[in-house]
Amino acid sequence: MMLTMGMLERYVLKRTMGALVGALAVLSAMVMLIAFVDIARNVGTRADASFLRLLYLTILQAPATILVLAPFIFLFGTMWAFVELNRRSELIAMRAAGISAWRFIMPAAASSFVIGLLTITLLNPLTTAMTAKFETERDRTMNGYLKEAPKGTWLRQGDDKTQIVIRARARELVDGSVRLRGVSLFVYTLNAKGVMDFTRRIEANEARLEPGFWRLSGVREATPGAGAIRSDSLSIPSNLDDRTASERFNTPQAVALWRLPATIQRTADAGFSAVPFKLRLQQDLATPLLFAAMSVLAAAFSLRLMRLGGLAMLAGSGVALGFGFFFFNELCSTLGRADVLAPFVAAWTPPTVALLVGFTLLCYTEDG
């Protein structure tokens, strides 16, 4: 009996994995096509980029989008697998043999959880590296078009005695080194009362980050109550390195899971909000539960027997609920980034709610 049950569970798992691969292939093709069109419109029309260059940028960008839409892979894939089992009357045979729905749903949920673990440990670093590479290559392809930002680029550095706020009109990476243009540096020094006082402002045409210092060119320096002093070049000590400074430019999606705690600490120490990075960390940790919840939810909407009718409507309701869950997840993420919800609450609430809804429906269907 145990051998039979083991074979049955392996069969259901095999069918589920096949459906997940099919859903992944369909979703990946759609994402690649949409991403290529978007990049061709935003980059290709503004820069001299070849087809192969646009395809390269698409390959770099697409994995991050696929990872965001991965819950739909588990929703549609698992639903596809169980609807097929239902259509072939295999679920009827399982239920007639006295097998509980919990027994053949758990392999799908457990495998989804394991895939979630592999995603955050193996795929996440690869995807974030590709996202960071995409942002760099896009800027390089645009030849400065994207470097001009309406609000400029802001950095902050310093220690217990001195703080420097840096604003730049444009930024770029040259051979892995950070270069800023149209730079303003606001220098604050700790006074005897323990308060940071503004001491000087430095304007520069360009600032390039070297090991241990900023190299400024085309400098104009002013202090309160004194005139401006001009110089061709000036060096300002810095505790930033190229990777640390580049992380300030990147989105949280471009920072790997293992680097997020250190990035959060450095961002907080620099006086900037680390909420987006905290939210990203919690969302990554919640990924295995999210994948398992979507599988349970999909299976729960696919168990109605064909002979009772209404399976198509029930499956359609599951798809609609999946889209509703996606928007709920995005709403929680938005509230988390706005610091309305704590990052932990914003990240873990959607998968927990989805899992509870799935378990509730399963209890209603299986146990009455």
Side-chain angles (χ1 to χ4, degrees):
M1 181 66 177
M2 291 301 296
L3 179 60
T4 304
M5 289 298 295
M7 292 176 60
L8 180 61
E9 291 168 355
R10 287 196 296 271
Y11 173 74
V12 174
L13 180 59
K14 179 180 177 181
R15 295 297 300 271
T16 303
M17 290 296 102
L20 290 178
V21 171
L24 174 61
V26 172
L27 183 65
S28 298
M30 293 176 59
V31 168
M32 289 285 290
L33 178 60
I34 295 173
F36 182 82
V37 172
D38 182 66
I39 291 175
R41 184 180 67 252
N42 294 328
V43 178
T45 58
R46 301 169 183 170
D48 185 15
S50 65
F51 171 82
L52 292 179
R53 182 66 175 176
L54 296 176
L55 182 60
Y56 174 61
L57 292 175
T58 301
I59 294 174
L60 291 177
Q61 185 196 40
T65 306
I66 294 172
L67 203 59
V68 171
L69 299 177
F72 284 107
I73 295 175
F74 290 90
L75 177 68
F76 295 146
T78 305
M79 187 173 294
W80 181 7
F82 278 86
V83 167
E84 282 295 305
L85 289 173
N86 205 338
R87 188 178 64 84
R88 295 168 181 246
S89 299
E90 292 172 325
L91 284 183
I92 297 176
M94 296 177 195
R95 305 292 288 276
I99 300 173
S100 171
W102 298 97
R103 296 297 301 270
F104 52 79
I105 286 178
M106 283 305 107
S111 61
S112 300
F113 188 86
V114 172
I115 293 174
L117 291 176
L118 294 177
T119 298
I120 64 175
T121 55
L122 299 179
L123 295 181
N124 178 272
L126 177 62
T127 302
T128 52
M130 295 177 70
T131 301
K133 182 69 173 177
F134 165 76
E135 293 177 357
T136 301
E137 292 299 322
R138 179 193 59 189
D139 285 0
R140 184 176 300 172
T141 303
M142 294 295 288
N143 291 323
Y145 187 90
L146 291 177
K147 298 165 196 170
E148 299 287 342
K151 297 182 180 180
T153 295
W154 291 86
L155 290 172
R156 185 170 177 172
Q157 66 171 55
D159 50 31
D160 295 337
K161 297 182 179 180
T162 304
Q163 290 287 324
I164 301 177
V165 178
I166 304 172
R167 182 191 182 278
R169 188 182 67 253
R171 58 92 177 174
E172 61 183 343
L173 293 176
V174 180
D175 298 327
S177 179
V178 174
R179 179 181 294 176
L180 306 177
R181 299 185 185 277
V183 186
S184 299
L185 293 89
F186 305 89
V187 183
Y188 297 83
T189 305
L190 188 70
N191 61 22
K193 298 180 179 180
V195 178
M196 287 289 180
D197 285 338
F198 173 72
T199 54
R200 59 174 173 158
R201 174 174 176 170
I202 303 173
E203 302 280 348
N205 295 332
E206 181 181 285
R208 182 161 184 167
L209 183 60
E210 305 286 351
F213 64 94
W214 288 99
R215 184 185 299 277
L216 310 179
S217 59
V219 181
R220 185 178 64 179
E221 182 178 358
T223 57
I229 301 175
R230 297 181 180 273
S231 58
D232 293 333
S233 62
L234 180 67
S235 296
I236 299 294
S238 175
N239 56 3
L240 300 175
D241 55 29
D242 288 325
R243 194 181 86 171
T244 302
S246 298
E247 284 180 350
R248 306 284 175 82
F249 303 141
N250 291 334
T251 60
Q253 287 73 23
V255 182
L257 173 66
W258 311 119
R259 298 211 319 264
L260 279 172
T263 302
I264 291 171
Q265 186 63 45
R266 286 195 297 265
T267 303
D269 291 343
F272 292 99
S273 173
V275 170
F277 296 100
K278 292 180 181 179
L279 177 63
R280 178 65 180 177
L281 175 62
Q282 294 299 328
Q283 287 176 330
D284 286 345
L285 296 178
T287 297
L289 180 64
L290 175 61
F291 289 176
M294 297 307 285
S295 293
V296 171
L297 192 63
F301 275 94
S302 309
L303 292 181
R304 184 178 178 85
L305 300 180
M306 289 287 292
R307 60 182 176 83
L308 298 179
L311 178 60
M313 181 177 295
L314 190 62
S317 300
V319 173
L321 184 62
F323 279 103
F325 164 78
F326 179 79
F327 288 113
F328 175 63
N329 189 29
E330 289 300 306
L331 174 63
C332 290
S333 297
T334 302
L335 294 177
R337 284 190 291 269
D339 210 13
V340 176
L341 292 178
F344 179 86
V345 176
W348 288 89
T349 296
T352 302
V353 170
L355 189 64
L356 291 177
V357 170
F359 280 158
T360 301
L361 186 58
L362 278 175
C363 290
Y364 177 79
T365 303
E366 182 66 10
D367 303 323

